[in-house]
Amino acid sequence: AEVGARPEPCPAGPGPTRMSVTDQAFVTLATDDVYCQGALVLGQSLRNHKTSRKLTVLITPEISSGMRSVLRSVFDEVIQVDVLDSADSVHLALMQRPELGVTFTKLRCWTLTQFSKCVFMDADTLVLCNVDELFDREEFSAAPDSGWPDCFNSGVFVFRPSLKTYNLLLQFAAEHGSFDGGDQGLLNSFFSNWATADIGKHLPFLYNLSSSAVYTYVPAFNHFGRDAKVVHFLGATKPWNYKYNLQTKRVMQDDTTSGSFHQLSFLALWWNIYSASILPLLEKLQKMEESE
Ligand code: UDP
Ligand code: MN
């Protein structure tokens, strides 16, 4: 089966603010060149919808120099951080769950104290319209997780960088670890009153629409889905794992991939951005490296 991209979902709103805001940023994370592909599409989608905020990507030392230069053409700031691993104060917690190292790196976003407020977005998210209004929210704002709605999903959240909070998070990680082995369990335990304390800190699900939830509650998606603002391709199979036909502009489905029609149309949207804006950058890089 092949499905094309869905039409532009967001209605024309009042439009983004004209003045750029330099002390606020969208932040994402990539710890390898593969996740960089997601970060680039996310960054490009924010640019396409004319965000007035800075775009920042956190990378780890293993990102190749070529990929760094491509990232610099989409993001305002490419900031290297070290992987949070057993050399850190979370040593003991990580020893029990060695795979934690990588997603705990997300906690480094609290060190970005050059910004007063940020919105973190996973590298496997994509914005469908301008979402700058997220900066009207306070720390810690996030959308419910579709698997356990009393938990928030840590793929999209509003936070205030602070070394004090950062150190408290590291201390908490060392003492308690994470109940799910990743950043989401840790953050839910740390911001444990999220579910009950302040409804203003509950982002609408439309700001973190998991493509798998679309599949579990189709009538709700049919009713509300046109207002989706951020898609999150959570789970093991990421958009870059699919095959895409550059001629027909359609995502190809085989036995190893499955998904509903809507999932596939979101995937096609991801691939449209990737093929139109990111592939040319990667190809230019390849040509430059070949001629060296
Ligand atoms: N991430 C990364 N490298 C990895 C795994 C995760 O850079 O090997 C970052 C990336 O920003 C990713 C986020 O951590 O979007 C959370 O991981 P993922 O999205 O794979 O988890 P899911 O949303 O599927 O639970
Ligand atoms: Mn994710």
Side-chain angles (χ1 to χ4, degrees):
E2 292 190 1
V3 178
R6 69 204 282 269
E8 268 306 289
C10 290
T17 45
R18 243 170 224 224
M19 261 189 337
S20 70
V21 182
T22 54
D23 71 334
Q24 298 184 342
F26 286 99
V27 179
T28 190
L29 164 71
T31 65
D32 57 38
D33 281 17
V34 174
Y35 270 91
C36 283
Q37 301 176 95
L40 285 164
V41 170
L42 167 64
Q44 187 63 47
S45 72
L46 287 159
R47 289 252 178 264
N48 289 350
H49 293 288
K50 303 200 170 16
T51 180
S52 59
R53 268 54 172 199
K54 294 286 177 196
L55 300 187
T56 297
V57 59
L58 299 179
I59 57 164
T60 51
E62 75 166 82
I63 304 298
S64 67
S65 63
M67 190 55 94
R68 285 167 198 243
S69 70
V70 174
L71 286 169
R72 276 194 292 270
S73 63
V74 173
F75 288 86
D76 296 299
E77 279 190 89
V78 180
I79 298 175
Q80 181 170 306
V81 295
D82 284 323
V83 172
L84 267 184
D85 62 17
S86 51
D88 283 276
S89 57
V90 284
H91 180 87
L92 288 174
L94 293 180
M95 288 310 282
Q96 294 155 5
R97 300 292 301 266
E99 80 278 13
L100 284 190
V102 161
T103 59
F104 271 39
T105 310
K106 204 186 268 191
L107 305 180
R108 300 268 194 211
C109 70
W110 265 275
T111 66
L112 297 171
T113 53
Q114 64 269 47
F115 301 115
S116 63
K117 195 191 278 186
C118 296
V119 173
F120 182 90
M121 301 186 74
D122 267 9
D124 60 344
T125 61
L126 173 68
V127 307
L128 306 176
C129 53
N130 185 288
V131 292
D132 289 355
E133 68 274 14
L134 284 172
F135 290 90
D136 297 339
R137 306 269 178 164
E138 256 313 316
E139 176 171 277
F140 182 97
S141 295
D145 185 79
S146 60
W148 195 268
D150 286 344
C151 285
F152 56 80
N153 182 278
S154 62
V156 177
F157 60 85
V158 182
F159 70 102
R160 281 194 182 274
S162 148
L163 293 182
K164 186 176 164 220
T165 309
Y166 175 67
N167 286 316
L168 287 172
L169 277 162
L170 288 195
Q171 196 184 331
F172 191 92
E175 282 167 18
H176 306 282
S178 164
F179 70 79
D180 70 358
D183 64 286
Q184 181 161 314
L186 173 74
L187 289 171
N188 269 279
S189 300
F190 188 83
F191 295 103
S192 62
N193 68 359
W194 172 84
T196 53
D198 181 357
I199 196 67
K201 293 181 179 176
H202 285 225
L203 300 180
F205 190 59
L206 295 169
Y207 287 94
N208 188 347
L209 184 75
S210 66
S211 41
S212 53
V214 168
Y215 195 58
T216 54
Y217 196 179
V218 172
F221 180 79
N222 290 340
H223 191 66
F224 298 111
R226 72 182 74 245
D227 297 324
K229 294 171 189 297
V230 179
V231 189
H232 185 183
F233 299 99
L234 62 81
T237 314
K238 299 303 186 195
W240 49 87
N241 298 128
Y242 287 79
K243 287 197 187 75
Y244 181 73
N245 186 324
L246 284 168
Q247 265 73 49
T248 63
K249 300 194 168 167
R250 278 157 197 276
V251 174
M252 291 183 281
Q253 219 185 352
D254 59 31
D255 297 340
T256 60
T257 57
S258 65
S260 68
F261 172 79
H262 294 295
Q263 261 172 293
L264 285 171
S265 62
F266 286 131
L267 281 168
L269 207 55
W270 189 95
W271 271 100
N272 284 356
I273 297 173
Y274 185 76
S275 57
S277 305
I278 307 305
L279 259 184
L281 299 175
L282 296 172
E283 282 164 358
K284 201 168 95 187
L285 170 79
Q286 207 172 10
K287 283 208 190 90
M288 273 166 57
E289 283 176 348
E290 277 165 9
S291 66
E292 267 167 23

